[in-house]
């Protein structure tokens, strides 16, 4: 049980934190500071030491909560609780409580108010909380005003430390103090024109849990490949796709361990699904930002797949790692991601955005092509975009439909094989011929299986 609230503290009113977190390369720090100095008013500098508390098993983290004590000076401490929030295109809104402390010891009584208890995860006792890991970083602060809106910008550089291990920390946060949240997007895009700034979805706390081996397997609720296409909730499904894209992209670009094949292929699949869904709805297609993200993203997928296929010290992998670093340093690509995030945020928050009226998944169109033009069917199974359309297949039946499930599963497997072959062909043109032949045979067998399924599917449902 949590302790009774301490009435000495009268400043535990919940606030809503509205912020955008961005990640950048350490060697871009000077350029970023210069860009900020030319636009905003520089504030103070501080050294911040933070201790995060949780149960030994990380129960708070599993409920997407974070509890920390921050030391701001010699004798200044602050206890902070952050609970489950929401993200719209990357702009995060979550509940937050901040309490000043006299010393750097956790005060459980602050967690016992009715307001906090309304958001506190059930079954977690304050008696089971303990310090798990620390973050130490230098913070530089700016205030940027646009019209009646004011945004606090902080640049954090330092370390996340846990049980003798550590990883670097380098990020920029834009938090709305007052006014219109839309200005955050405008400011981020202006800065990104000079320094590549990538939307970040991995918090300082999550990095600490990963160091401890308590990082939870991330799952996006409502994944379109799991629940099917629902055009009545298309904005939410697009946002869920984007959450998958930006989180996978951050891992592919920045995390040191080689990514899994599943993550790299999933990134490509969700990116293609995002544009497939958005362009099916005419009212969205007209206002979707003009982007050049698909081809570079497929190239990034190739580089990441090569990292998983070959020994980490091989010249092939070193070449792929160099390509990933070059991709990370391109402002245009980071800006494109910000523009998509801003478009999604507007789609979800604007009361004037039209709801989807058309946009039924093109099941009959795909089947018609299979029936009338077998050659088209074969050619289509070479294209990642077409395979993703089959993965999104929605025939109006229950997702437990055997045909539906088999087609989606087979298309996903074929997409993975096709992307792997594309990656290997690009990076290793002299690959052992027998290895290459076996991989191609796997791809051809899976393609034949999918083609057979499509024929059976088209024969069992006559077209109107």
């Amino acid at each position: 049980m949590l302790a009774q609230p301490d009435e000495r503290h009268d400043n535990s009113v919940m606030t809503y934190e509205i912020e955008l977190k961005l990640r950048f390369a350490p060697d871009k720090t000077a350029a970023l500071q210069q860009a900020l100095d030319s636009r905003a008013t520089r504030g103070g500098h501080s050294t911040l030491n933070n201790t995060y508390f949780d149960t030994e098993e990380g129960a708070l983290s599993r409920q997407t909560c974070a509890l920390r004590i921050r030391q701001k000076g010699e004798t200044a401490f602050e206890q902070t609780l952050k609970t489950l929030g929401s993200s719209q295109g990357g702009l995060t809104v979550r509940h937050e409580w901040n309490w000043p402390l006299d010393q750097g010891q956790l005060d459980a009584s602050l967690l016992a108010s009715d307001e906090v208890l309304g958001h506190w995860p059930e079954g977690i006792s304050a008696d089971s909380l303990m310090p798990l890991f620390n973050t130490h970083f230098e913070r530089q602060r700016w205030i940027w005003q646009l019209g009646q809106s004011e945004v606090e910008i902080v640049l954090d550089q330092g370390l996340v430390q846990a049980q003798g291990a550590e990883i670097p920390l380098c990020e920029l946060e834009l938090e709305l103090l007052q006014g219109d949240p839309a200005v955050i997007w405008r400011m981020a895009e202006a800065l990104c024109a000079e320094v590549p700034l990538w939307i970040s979805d991995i918090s300082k706390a999550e990095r600490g849990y990963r160091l401890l081996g308590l990082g939870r397997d991330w799952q996006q609720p409502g994944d379109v490949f799991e629940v099917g296409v629902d055009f009545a909730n298309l904005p939410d499904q697009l946002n869920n796709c984007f959450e998958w894209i930006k989180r996978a992209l951050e891992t592919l670009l920045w995390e040191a361990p080689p990514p899994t094949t599943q993550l790299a292929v999933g990134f490509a699949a969700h990116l293609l699904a995002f544009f497939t869904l958005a362009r099916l709805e005419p009212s969205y297609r007209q206002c979707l930002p003009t982007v050049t993200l698909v081809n570079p993203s497929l190239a990034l997928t190739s580089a990441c797949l090569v990292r998983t296929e070959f020994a980490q010290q091989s010249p092939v992998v070193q070449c792929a790692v160099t390509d990933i670093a070059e991709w990370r340093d391109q402002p245009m690509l980071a800006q494109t991601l910000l523009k998509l995030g801003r478009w999604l945020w507007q789609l979800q928050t604007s009361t004037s955005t039209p709801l989807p009226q058309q946009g039924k998944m093109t099941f009959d169109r795909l089947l018609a092509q299979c029936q009338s033009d077998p050659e088209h069917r074969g050619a289509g199974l070479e294209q990642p975009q077409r395979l993703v359309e089959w993965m999104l297949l929605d025939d109006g039946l229950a997702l437990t439909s055997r045909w539906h499930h088999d087609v989606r599963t087979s298309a996903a497997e074929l997409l993975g094989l096709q992307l792997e072959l594309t990656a290997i062909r690009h990076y290793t043109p002299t690959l052992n011929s027998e290895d290459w032949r076996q991989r191609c045979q796997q791809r051809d067998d899976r393609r034949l299986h999918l083609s057979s399924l499509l024929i059976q599917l088209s024969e069992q449902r006559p077209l109107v």
Side-chain angles (χ1 to χ4, degrees):
M1 297 292 294
L2 294 174
Q4 292 299 311
D6 188 337
E7 296 180 357
R8 293 174 302 162
H9 299 278
D10 60 358
N11 57 346
S12 59
V13 177
M14 178 182 67
T15 61
Y16 287 94
E17 178 185 59
I18 302 176
E19 71 172 16
L20 181 66
K21 186 190 300 289
L22 303 166
R23 201 161 177 171
F24 64 95
D27 62 357
K28 307 295 183 185
T29 301
L32 181 55
Q33 289 177 330
Q34 184 176 359
L36 284 164
D37 285 338
S38 67
R39 294 172 170 85
T41 302
R42 184 182 280 252
H45 170 274
S46 54
T47 299
L48 300 176
N49 299 309
N50 308 272
T51 301
Y52 284 80
F53 292 79
D54 205 330
T55 67
E56 185 176 4
E57 302 80 16
L60 279 179
S61 173
R62 289 198 296 271
Q63 299 297 321
T64 64
C65 295
L67 177 64
R68 71 166 187 242
I69 291 179
R70 168 169 290 171
Q71 182 177 2
K72 294 184 172 182
E74 291 295 327
T75 59
F77 299 89
E78 182 179 70
Q79 180 171 310
T80 295
L81 172 67
K82 297 185 180 185
T83 59
L84 176 65
S86 62
S87 176
Q88 297 170 328
L91 194 65
T92 302
V93 181
R94 65 188 305 179
H95 303 113
E96 177 179 316
W97 291 263
N98 296 290
W99 300 276
L101 298 176
D102 297 329
Q103 56 184 344
Q105 300 294 322
L106 185 68
D107 187 342
S109 71
L110 298 175
L111 307 174
S113 70
D114 290 341
E115 185 180 67
V116 173
L117 289 175
H119 299 271
W120 184 264
E122 292 185 9
I124 300 178
S125 169
D127 295 336
S128 64
L129 300 177
M130 62 183 67
L132 287 188
F133 61 90
N134 305 93
T135 62
H136 308 284
F137 53 89
E138 303 297 318
R139 167 168 287 182
Q140 181 62 55
R141 180 174 177 267
W142 287 263
I143 296 294
W144 190 345
Q145 290 186 307
L146 280 179
Q148 300 301 309
S149 299
E150 184 175 86
V151 172
E152 178 187 56
I153 302 177
V154 296
L155 190 158
D156 293 339
Q157 286 188 290
L159 295 170
V160 181
Q161 299 174 318
Q163 295 182 347
E166 62 183 33
I167 54 176
L169 173 67
C170 193
E171 61 186 30
L172 191 75
E173 294 181 1
L174 293 82
E175 181 175 352
L176 184 71
L177 298 182
Q178 63 179 19
D180 185 359
V183 302
I184 292 180
W185 294 106
R186 291 170 56 191
M187 293 174 179
E189 289 176 25
L191 294 171
C192 191
E194 300 187 32
V195 176
L197 297 171
W198 296 89
I199 297 178
S200 174
D201 201 46
I202 302 176
S203 67
K204 298 179 180 73
E206 185 172 350
R207 295 176 201 178
Y209 285 109
R210 287 184 176 186
L211 276 181
L212 290 169
L214 296 176
R216 52 192 173 87
D217 292 333
W218 184 79
Q219 297 272 337
Q220 177 58 40
D223 189 337
V224 68
F225 291 124
E226 298 294 331
V227 303
V229 181
D230 179 6
F231 278 90
N233 296 300
L234 185 56
D236 288 338
Q237 287 203 312
L238 286 171
N239 190 62
N240 287 345
C241 252
F242 189 73
E243 289 291 305
W244 217 106
I245 292 165
K246 64 185 178 65
R247 190 173 182 88
L249 181 58
E250 183 173 4
T251 300
L252 295 175
L253 285 177
W254 297 96
E255 299 303 304
T260 63
T261 298
Q262 181 181 7
L263 181 69
V265 173
F267 164 67
H270 283 82
L271 184 77
L272 293 169
F274 178 90
F275 289 107
T276 296
L277 295 175
R279 288 167 177 161
L280 281 173
E281 174 51 50
S283 63
Y284 295 169
R285 186 169 62 241
Q286 294 171 2
C287 57
L288 185 69
T290 302
V291 296
T292 55
L293 198 59
V294 172
N295 288 338
S297 295
L298 292 178
L300 172 66
T301 300
S302 290
C304 292
L305 287 172
V306 164
R307 288 183 65 193
T308 67
E309 288 283 336
F310 297 92
Q312 290 305 297
Q313 301 305 316
S314 71
V316 171
V317 170
Q318 294 306 311
C319 181
V321 169
T322 298
D323 288 348
I324 293 171
E326 291 178 354
W327 209 93
R328 191 170 57 221
D329 286 340
Q330 296 187 43
M332 183 186 69
L333 298 174
Q335 277 187 298
T336 296
L337 199 67
L338 278 170
K339 288 178 180 177
L340 284 179
R342 182 180 187 180
W343 175 75
L344 264 179
W345 176 79
Q346 292 172 331
L347 187 68
Q348 292 193 294
T349 58
S350 174
T351 57
S352 61
T353 301
L355 294 174
Q357 299 297 323
Q358 302 179 34
K360 182 74 174 74
M361 194 28 125
T362 53
F363 177 80
D364 287 340
R365 173 178 64 80
L366 292 173
L367 286 186
Q369 292 170 346
C370 287
Q371 288 182 329
S372 63
D373 187 358
E375 293 295 327
H376 180 89
R377 179 177 67 244
L381 298 185
E382 297 280 353
Q383 304 168 10
Q385 182 70 58
R386 181 52 50 83
L387 289 170
V388 167
E389 288 185 7
W390 286 117
M391 290 167 64
L392 293 170
L393 180 64
D394 185 358
D395 60 359
L397 302 175
L399 286 178
T400 54
S401 162
R402 180 168 65 88
W403 296 112
H404 190 148
H405 177 269
D406 288 351
V407 167
R408 287 157 59 101
T409 301
S410 186
E413 292 174 351
L414 182 54
L415 175 66
L417 290 169
Q418 189 70 38
L419 290 173
E420 285 183 3
L421 284 171
T422 299
I424 293 170
R425 184 167 56 238
H426 176 76
Y427 282 96
T428 59
T430 59
L431 181 70
N432 177 277
S433 58
E434 179 61 22
D435 189 6
W436 178 259
R437 188 194 67 77
Q438 291 178 0
R439 291 173 183 270
C440 289
Q441 186 62 52
Q442 283 183 309
R443 186 269 317 272
D444 293 343
D445 290 345
R446 180 51 55 188
R447 185 167 55 194
L448 182 63
H449 177 66
L450 178 57
S451 181
S452 175
L453 285 173
L454 296 179
I455 292 173
Q456 296 175 61
L457 188 60
S458 62
E459 288 175 349
Q460 77 155 356
R461 174 174 171 176
L463 297 177
V464 178

